[in-house]
């Protein structure tokens, strides 16, 4: 088996903590369970995988923008096992490029996982991985890991099962179960209906499939991607880098979910019996920290008066001057305060302005802040 960690996104929804120059998967957002030191989401993902997979069989797929950063920090950890995309073209391109580049047997299972998810129970996670690997090996089908829905989220894809009994089998017995259909991110109304029905799990964004069936699925269902990446690799092999990049630029941004998962049948799922969060928003970060009696998560020096629900983070500065600053709160509620080296962001937790919309506005005049 080969494990491929997808680490190419720029984490827009977590701005301003996550920036194009240093996106969320590289930020020290998590506490190490043993010593409490801060580690990155990518490091946490690699540490879990190394308990199951030999380091030589763990790969990272990311943007060439982060090559210098990774080469400096990965050191001996899978430094030679990095696939660099000329630019990020979503998960369909990421998965296909890695599958085509990997030196693996046709029947070897390839496992793709995001780099930016939080998982609290490593043992339960590894059990689910083992079950999914076995199911993909035996069935030659695509296998996903589904997570029990704890709320009606509009941020995740959903896996629908034939009935609640089939879902229970998937979750309780760790048994590969056919899904009825894959549903992309729903409206709030649909998400509530999904939760109420008892027939849906969240899609965790992890995929398992043998190499040959995976490539055949792309050739059948996403031929444009298949032939374009073949062209890109041919130019790259011939040393014609400019032509290779131009070929890659022809790719449309499409997710693996949309390009492949929605079109395949059967698709199997294994239940993930562990707490899981896609770290795609600041509210996800808050859930991992210890709040005070007023619901404040204050991660730097603060004096608070009559304030509730405040989320405050202070970036480390090169000259350490930020550390000397003290934030004083007086009668404020439900706001976020993020002090970065080049900006200070203050916003309502439930701001009507979507972060992506905000970034579009900033991008027209202040691209350096993205």
């Amino acid at each position: 088996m080969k494990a491929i960690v997808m680490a190419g996104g720029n984490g827009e929804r977590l701005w301003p903590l996550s920036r194009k120059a240093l996106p969320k998967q590289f930020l020290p957002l998590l506490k190490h369970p043993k010593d409490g030191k801060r580690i990155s989401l990518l490091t946490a993902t690699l540490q879990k995988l190394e308990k199951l997979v030999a380091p030589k069989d763990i790969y990272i797929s990311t943007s060439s923008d982060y090559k210098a950063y990774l080469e400096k920090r990965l050191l001996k950890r899978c430094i030679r096992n990095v696939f660099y995309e000329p630019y990020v073209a979503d998960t369909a391109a990421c998965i296909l490029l890695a599958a085509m580049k990997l030196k693996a047997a046709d029947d070897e299972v390839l496992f793709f996982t995001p780099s930016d998810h939080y998982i609290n129970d490593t043992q339960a996670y590894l059990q689910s991985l083992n079950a999914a690997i076995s199911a993909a090996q035996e069935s030659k089908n695509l296998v996903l890991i589904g997570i029990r829905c704890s709320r009606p989220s509009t941020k995740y894809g959903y896996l629908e099962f034939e009935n609640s009994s089939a879902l229970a089998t998937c979750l309780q017995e760790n048994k590969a179960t056919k899904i009825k259909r894959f549903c992309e991110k729903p409206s709030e109304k649909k998400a509530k209906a999904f939760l109420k029905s008892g027939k849906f799990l969240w899609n965790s964004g992890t995929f398992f499939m043998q190499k040959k069936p995976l490539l055949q699925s792309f050739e059948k269902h996403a031929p444009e991607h298949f032939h374009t990446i073949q062209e890109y690799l041919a130019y790259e092999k011939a040393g014609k880098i400019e032509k290779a990049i131009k070929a890659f630029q022809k790719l449309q941004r499409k997710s693996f979910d949309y390009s492949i998962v929605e079109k395949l049948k059967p698709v199997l799922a294994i239940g993930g019996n562990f707490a899981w969060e896609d770290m795609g928003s600041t509210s996800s970060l808050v859930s991992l920290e210890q709040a005070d009696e007023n619901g404040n998560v204050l991660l730097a020096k603060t004096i608070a008066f009559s304030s509730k629900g405040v989320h405050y983070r202070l970036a480390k500065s090169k000259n350490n001057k930020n550390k000397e600053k003290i934030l004083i709160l007086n009668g404020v509620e439900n706001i976020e305060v993020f002090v970065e080296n080049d900006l200070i962001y203050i916003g309502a937790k439930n701001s009507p302005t979507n972060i992506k919309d905000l970034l579009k506005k900033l991008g027209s005049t202040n691209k350096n802040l993205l």
Side-chain angles (χ1 to χ4, degrees):
M1 195 218 30
K2 301 284 192 295
I4 302 93
V5 181
M6 299 179 286
N10 56 23
E12 283 185 344
R13 287 183 294 151
L14 210 60
W15 184 91
L17 305 177
S18 178
R19 313 284 282 275
K20 283 187 177 181
L22 193 65
K24 62 179 177 178
Q25 59 268 28
F26 305 133
L27 299 177
L29 298 175
L30 303 180
K31 286 182 180 179
H32 194 283
K34 290 184 178 179
D35 57 22
K37 290 183 179 179
R38 293 277 172 174
I39 60 173
S40 71
L41 294 162
L42 175 60
T43 297
T45 300
L46 292 173
Q47 287 177 349
K48 287 182 175 65
L49 291 179
E50 286 168 353
K51 296 179 183 298
L52 179 69
V53 185
K56 68 180 180 63
D57 291 326
I58 299 175
Y59 295 76
I60 295 172
S61 181
T62 189
S63 167
S64 57
D65 291 342
Y66 309 127
K67 185 174 183 179
Y69 178 86
L70 286 174
E71 287 183 347
K72 183 178 180 181
R73 284 161 178 80
L74 281 177
L75 300 177
K76 295 180 181 179
R77 176 181 269 149
C78 59
I79 187 60
R80 295 180 182 177
N81 293 358
V82 184
F83 299 132
Y84 293 106
E85 301 171 61
Y87 72 98
V88 177
D90 218 320
T91 51
C94 167
I95 288 172
L96 180 56
L97 179 62
M100 284 186 168
K101 278 196 164 189
L102 275 169
K103 294 179 180 178
D106 286 347
D107 63 350
E108 192 164 3
V109 173
L110 308 184
F111 158 43
F112 296 85
T113 180
S115 61
D116 54 359
H117 291 180
Y118 168 75
I119 293 164
N120 76 328
D121 188 335
T122 299
Q123 194 59 39
Y125 172 64
L126 297 179
Q127 287 176 357
S128 293
L129 295 190
N130 271 319
I133 292 164
S134 297
Q137 191 68 64
E138 294 168 9
S139 70
K140 297 184 180 180
N141 294 317
L142 176 66
V143 180
L144 315 176
I145 291 182
I147 306 293
R148 189 190 302 275
C149 307
S150 61
R151 59 189 183 278
S153 176
T154 60
K155 298 175 182 177
Y156 307 144
Y158 285 73
L159 311 177
E160 182 182 12
F161 293 79
E162 195 64 42
N163 49 51
S164 56
S165 177
L167 183 146
T169 298
C170 177
L171 274 177
Q172 296 170 14
E173 299 179 21
N174 230 10
K175 184 177 180 181
T177 307
K178 288 183 182 180
I179 66 169
K180 184 178 180 180
R181 64 180 174 126
F182 172 83
C183 308
E184 259 296 3
K185 300 170 184 177
S187 64
E188 187 173 356
K189 183 178 179 181
K190 280 188 176 181
K192 288 179 179 178
F194 288 174
L195 185 63
K196 188 176 180 180
S197 74
K199 298 192 298 180
F200 290 82
L201 295 178
W202 285 332
N203 175 32
S204 68
T206 55
F207 310 102
F208 304 76
M209 200 173 194
Q210 289 184 15
K211 180 178 178 177
K212 186 176 181 179
L214 177 61
L215 292 176
Q216 289 173 333
S217 297
F218 270 102
E219 188 171 18
K220 179 179 180 180
H221 298 295
E224 301 88 353
H225 266 62
F226 187 84
H227 296 300
T228 299
I229 290 185
Q230 274 190 328
E231 182 184 7
Y232 165 76
L233 291 174
Y235 280 131
E236 185 184 58
K237 186 176 181 180
K240 299 177 180 178
I241 304 305
E242 287 188 11
K243 287 187 175 182
I245 292 173
K246 285 182 179 180
F248 202 89
Q249 287 173 339
K250 292 189 295 185
L251 287 170
Q252 292 184 358
R253 289 184 65 101
K254 290 185 179 180
S255 69
F256 182 70
D257 299 338
Y258 176 80
S259 300
I260 303 298
V261 181
E262 290 183 0
K263 299 170 184 175
L264 284 184
K265 286 191 181 297
V267 173
L268 308 180
I270 293 288
N273 290 297
F274 43 81
W276 169 89
E277 280 286 346
D278 174 358
M279 304 305 291
S281 66
T282 52
S283 61
S284 300
L285 292 180
V286 167
S287 69
L288 303 184
E289 304 291 347
Q290 186 67 46
D292 67 17
E293 64 275 12
N294 293 310
N296 297 312
V297 172
L298 308 171
L299 302 180
K301 291 181 180 180
T302 312
I303 300 173
F305 300 101
S306 304
S307 298
K308 299 178 181 179
V310 177
H311 180 194
Y312 171 46
R313 289 175 183 260
L314 179 69
K316 287 184 178 180
S317 57
K318 292 181 181 179
N319 55 17
N320 219 26
K321 283 188 177 181
N322 279 350
K323 192 175 180 181
E324 300 170 6
K325 298 174 183 176
I326 298 176
L327 177 69
I328 299 176
L329 301 171
N330 186 21
V332 295
E333 295 186 8
N334 298 320
I335 64 168
E336 296 175 321
V337 181
F338 302 134
V339 179
E340 298 290 306
N341 291 322
D342 59 344
L343 67 85
I344 298 173
Y345 171 81
I346 302 173
K349 281 188 174 179
N350 298 310
S351 171
T353 302
N354 182 285
I355 284 293
K356 288 193 175 184
D357 293 336
L358 176 64
L359 294 184
K360 285 180 182 178
K361 295 174 182 177
L362 280 175
S364 62
T365 55
N366 296 276
K367 287 187 178 181
N368 60 307
L369 297 180
L370 301 183

